[in-house]
Every structure is written in C-alpha cells, then in structure tokens.
C-alpha cells in the first residue's frame, strides 16, 4: 500500500472581500468568471474554472458559503493551485494532482457569501444561505443552482469548518439513486473514504453527526442533482475543526479534498463498488 504523507503548508487571512478579490482571486491556470450580483448588490460572486471547454467531467468545489469560515477558503485555494500546478504539490502527491488535472475539469466558487466574508458573519446580509436551496430567496443560492444546472458536475465538495469539537474533523457524503430518496444509499463509500482519510492523516476522523439536513442544505441538495454522466452527484461535506489552527485545518481540508476526489473517481469510473485506500492510490 502506498501512503502519501500528510499535506502541510497553509495560508489564511481576512482583510475584507475587496482585498481577497484584488490579491487572491486570480490563480495561475484558472479562468475567472463574474457570476453576478450577490444579495448585497454592491458585491458580486466570482467563480474560477479550468477546462470547461473540454469533454472532461467536472468537479465542483465550493467554500465560503458561511462568511466567517476563513480557513476553508484558503485550503481550497491551495488545493486549486496544486490542481493547475501539480509540480508545486508535496512530492508524494504530485502524481495524484496530475491525475486529477488531466482527467477532470474544475469549477470553484471560493467565496459564495461575499457579505458574510466582508463582515465575518455566518449569514449573508439577510439569512443563512446554506439553508435556502429549496426556497431560493437569495441571489447567491440562485447563482449556485444555475451554475450547477449549466456545468452538471459529477462530484461536488463543499468546504466548511465548525466549532463543536477541538480534535476531530468530520465529513459527510450525500448521494441518491433513482427510486431511493435516501442520502445514505451508498454509505459504504462514505465509510471507506473516512477510513482512508483517517489512515492518511493519522487523525480520528468522524462522520458529520447531523442527519436532519434535508434538501434545504446545499450539500444534500447537490447530492440530489444529476451530473453530465446521468448519475447523481457524489456530494461531499468537509467540516474542519474551528478550534484548531488554520495550519491544521489546511492539512485536514486538503487531505479530505484529495481523498474524496480520488474515492469518487474510483467509484464512478473504475467500477469498484466500495473502494478502499488501496484502490484509490
Ligand atoms: Zn459552514
């Protein structure tokens, strides 16, 4: 079994939304798209993408839907940098980033909630937009839904952090199957992914405990959509621990993004029903 070393390297700051746009939005190898006004009309939502004009299946990444969760914005950014420039990734992971770069197109919304990022609040100016996916009252929600309808990703990863535990990152997967409106349908994949992550990061990784998230939440809504392959989106939720330093959250977050991409890849395209770490490496 080949294990890659845990990923190190971090960067995290918040000097306001405009500062992010001016200093961090642009990434080598990615194109910027203005997705339009947020619910606070003076602020627009931006996306970054690469290889959208190819036939490659798309992985959708999202961070900053809760404006006060800064480390996910920056660990996602580091992940994005290594996707377009795998040679900059840690030595034993270069080939994995190279593999994902060649096989997939990517779309990433770094800050889905500009107002919250600017004001360091969970909500946008009006509400928690993460629970607006049935009601569609907020422009941010509509932007995300329209984008997903347009690009039809096959894998989706939503990056968060939370304050409930000081030692355990947690994660969750949602996926559906025709006739089964049950987000736990392919539970074995989720369990094996968490096991893989635990082995790689040498952490006690647990499943996100709240089972009551319905289609109002992005992560569950996303799992009920269909990708360009005609299958339901394999939708992952990452919650790093807010009680830990940004450096630790970066390690937790990038490892999780990498494992979830590879785990989904093996399941979707190599027809291994319950992939373990050996299968994905
Ligand atoms: Zn969150």
């Amino acid at each position: 079994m080949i294990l890659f070393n845990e990923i190190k390297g971090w960067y995290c700051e918040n000097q306001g939304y405009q500062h992010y746009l001016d200093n961090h939005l642009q990434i080598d190898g990615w194109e910027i798209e203005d997705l339009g006004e947020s619910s606070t009309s003076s602020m627009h939502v931006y996306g970054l993408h690469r290889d959208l004009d190819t036939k490659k299946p798309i992985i959708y990444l999202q961070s900053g839907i809760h404006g006060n969760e800064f480390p996910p914005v920056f660990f996602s950014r580091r992940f994005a940098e290594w996707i377009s420039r795998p040679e900059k990734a840690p030595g034993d992971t270069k080939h994995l980033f190279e593999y994902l770069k060649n096989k997939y197109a990517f779309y990433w919304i770094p800050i889905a909630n500009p107002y919250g990022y600017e004001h360091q609040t969970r909500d946008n100016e009006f509400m928690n937009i993460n629970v607006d996916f049935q009601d569609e009252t907020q422009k941010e929600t509509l932007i995300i839904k329209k984008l997903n309808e347009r690009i039809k990703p096959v894998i989706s990863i939503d990056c968060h952090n939370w304050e409930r535990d000081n030692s355990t990152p947690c994660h969750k997967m949602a996926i559906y199957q025709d006739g089964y409106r049950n987000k736990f349908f392919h539970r074995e994949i989720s369990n094996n992914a968490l096991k893989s992550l635990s082995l790689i990061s040498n952490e006690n990784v647990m499943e996100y405990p709240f089972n009551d998230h319905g289609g109002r939440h992005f992560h569950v809504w996303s799992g009920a959509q269909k990708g360009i392959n005609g299958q339901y989106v394999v939708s992952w939720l990452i919650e790093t621990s807010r009680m830990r330093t940004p450096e630790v959250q970066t390690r937790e977050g990038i490892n999780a993004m990498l494992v979830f991409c590879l785990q989904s890849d093996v399941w979707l395209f190599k027809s291994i029903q319950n992939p373990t770490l050996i299968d994905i490496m």
Side-chain angles (χ1 to χ4, degrees), residues 65-69 122 130 158-162 237-239 242:
I65 197 165
H66 291 137
N68 59 336
E69 298 173 0
R122 179 175 176 82
N130 196 32
D158 188 23
C159 300
H160 293 249
N161 68 7
W162 74 336
L237 171 71
I238 294 177
E239 295 271 3
R242 202 178 297 168

Side-chain angles (χ1 to χ4, degrees), residues 17 20-21 25-27 30-36 44-50 52 60-61 106-112 143 147 150:
Y17 191 56
Y20 184 92
L21 298 183
L25 185 62
Q26 196 164 357
I27 299 181
W30 292 73
E31 286 176 53
I32 297 170
E33 182 178 14
D34 183 346
L35 291 167
H44 284 217
V45 177
Y46 293 89
L48 276 83
H49 57 85
R50 45 175 293 109
L52 276 197
Y60 174 70
L61 310 171
F106 286 84
Y107 203 105
W108 173 42
I109 296 185
I111 300 175
I143 285 172
L147 174 66
R150 168 159 64 101

Side-chain angles (χ1 to χ4, degrees), residues 13-21 111 117-118 120:
E13 66 168 4
N14 185 321
Q15 297 187 49
Y17 191 56
Q18 192 57 46
H19 184 271
Y20 184 92
L21 298 183
I111 300 175
Y117 188 86
E118 174 72 18
Q120 309 195 9

